[in-house]
Each structure stands twice: as C-alpha cells, then as structure tokens.
Amino acid sequence: MWRRKERETLRLLQLHSEAVLAAVRKFEELVRVFSSFEWEKACGLGREVTMLESQADDRLGKFNRALAGGAFLPAYRGDLARLGAQVDNVADVTEEVSRTLLSREKTWRVMRRERRRTEGLREGMVKMGELATKCVEALHSSVKTLTSNIDLAETQAKEVGRREHESDLIEQGLIVDLYERERELDPVTVMQLDQIIHGIGDISDQAEEASHLLLILIYGLRA
C-alpha cells in the first residue's frame, strides 16, 4: 500500500507525535509535583516541557519538508499537513499551560496553605493530567499503527475521544467545586485555578481534534 517515500514520511510523523507525547508525559509529572507542593522541582519540569515542545517543532518541520518533497498524492498531502499541525498544537497548548501553571506561584502558596480545602481540586487536576497523557498515548498509537493495521489505527483514534470525554466530566465537576469555594479562597486564586483547570482540559481537547483529522485520513485511505 505504501511506497518507500510515503513510509519514510509517516515515520517522520510518528517521530513528531512521539515528541509531543513526551512533552505531555512530562507535563503530567509537572502537575503531580505542583499539586504536592514541590515548587523548585516543578520549575525544572517546566523547562523540560519547553525543551520537548521545541523538539516537536523541529520534527514537524522535517515532516512538512518531506510532504513538500512530493510524498503522497496531493489529495492526501493536505490532510496529512493539517494532521501534523494539529498534533503540534497539542504540544503548543501543553507548553502554554505549563507556563501558566508556573506563573501562578501565589496560587500555589494559597493551595499549600489551604491544602485540606484544595485537596479535591488538586486530585482532580492530577487526574486530568493523567487523562491528557492517555489521550495523547492513544493518538500516538494510532499514528504508529497507520502503516501496519488501519483498522487498529481507527480503533485507537476513537479511544482518544473516550478519554477526552472522561476529562471533560472531571473538568466540569472541578469548576463547580471551585466556584462553591469562593468564600474560602480569594477571587484571584479562584480565577487562576479556573484558568489552570481549563488549560489542562485543553490538552485533551486538542488531542481529540487531532484524532478527528486522523479519522478523516483513515476513511480517505479506505476509499
């Protein structure tokens, strides 16, 4: 089904999604450390997230150059370019929310001071970080399987949506819980936590958007 040039181009896409997954896994670790009040360690992990996001950018560039070099028919080339850009958005959002998290030292101090009152919020954020990783793991698995088992690739792409839905449910519950604590936490802390929670959820959202593009590509390849 695949010529050598196409296989090599898809390998570059796999390497790109691998770097994106590494950034999201590092971010999951960052959320866990942030929530357990290890500020200096969290800052170090944030720098690693930025490094991995830059690596993903470099790999996307190689993938795009391979596409521009004539890999795939034009009908598929556009779908693949959009897929690569959307997978990269996952890394971009991951770095963005990582920076947001680490610019909220005051919020971190409030959470540490009010650790009993914020325990549920912190546990929920960690769970959302785990689900973001699971979303991107399923996405990466689908990209990897595309060259060998297109039916399995479809199943894995659809798994992203199921994981994203789990994340959405947790996010909705956390936001309700957060605004029920407005009398316990100062307004700035509430607003900043709202931003952080939505930011973590956005990683899974972006992964789901990439899975939709991947499914479009899969359906096209079957036609």
Side-chain angles (χ1 to χ4, degrees), residues 82-196:
R82 284 187 288 273
L83 173 60
Q86 182 57 42
V87 172
D88 200 62
N89 282 346
V90 177
D92 292 343
V93 167
T94 300
E95 186 193 21
E96 181 181 341
V97 69
S98 170
R99 290 178 181 275
T100 298
L101 204 65
L102 295 173
S103 66
R104 302 293 184 257
E105 186 173 1
K106 177 180 180 294
T107 297
W108 174 80
R109 293 185 186 281
V110 171
M111 291 172 69
R112 186 177 61 176
R113 187 179 68 239
E114 302 288 348
R115 64 180 64 207
R116 290 184 61 186
R117 291 177 175 173
T118 61
E119 183 177 7
L121 293 170
R122 289 183 283 113
E123 289 177 353
M125 288 163 58
V126 168
K127 182 62 179 175
M128 287 181 68
E130 292 172 357
L131 285 167
T133 296
K134 290 183 184 300
C135 281
V136 182
E137 284 175 343
L139 179 65
H140 177 57
S141 294
S142 183
V143 171
K144 281 175 58 180
T145 311
L146 195 58
T147 54
S148 58
N149 189 332
I150 201 164
D151 292 331
L152 180 57
E154 179 184 355
T155 298
Q156 291 165 332
K158 289 178 178 177
E159 177 66 15
V160 180
R162 287 189 284 272
R163 294 298 190 177
E164 189 276 338
H165 181 65
E166 289 181 54
S167 179
D168 266 355
L169 293 177
I170 294 173
E171 181 179 346
Q172 291 165 16
L174 285 179
I175 294 301
V176 170
D177 185 30
L178 175 63
Y179 283 98
E180 285 177 351
R181 298 180 182 278
E182 284 185 285
R183 293 183 179 180
E184 301 170 4
L185 302 171
D186 65 273
V188 172
T189 297
V190 170
M191 294 303 296
Q192 290 185 346
L193 284 171
D194 176 287
Q195 185 180 21
I196 290 168

Side-chain angles (χ1 to χ4, degrees), residues 198-214:
H198 283 306
I200 299 172
D202 197 28
I203 299 172
S204 296
D205 292 343
Q206 295 298 322
E208 186 185 32
E209 287 296 320
S211 74
H212 290 163
L213 293 175
L214 186 50

Side-chain angles (χ1 to χ4, degrees), residues 29-84:
E29 187 180 353
L30 166 58
V31 174
R32 195 178 302 279
V33 167
F34 180 90
S35 299
S36 62
F37 309 117
E38 300 174 78
W39 180 258
E40 293 301 324
K41 187 175 180 180
C43 290
L45 290 167
R47 289 189 289 272
E48 291 185 59
V49 170
T50 295
M51 179 189 69
L52 289 166
E53 189 276 335
S54 295
Q55 185 179 85
D57 281 345
D58 290 342
R59 292 184 179 184
L60 177 64
K62 292 177 182 178
F63 168 67
N64 285 334
R65 286 191 290 276
L67 282 180
F72 291 94
L73 295 172
Y76 296 130
R77 214 173 292 154
D79 288 341
L80 282 161
R82 284 187 288 273
L83 173 60

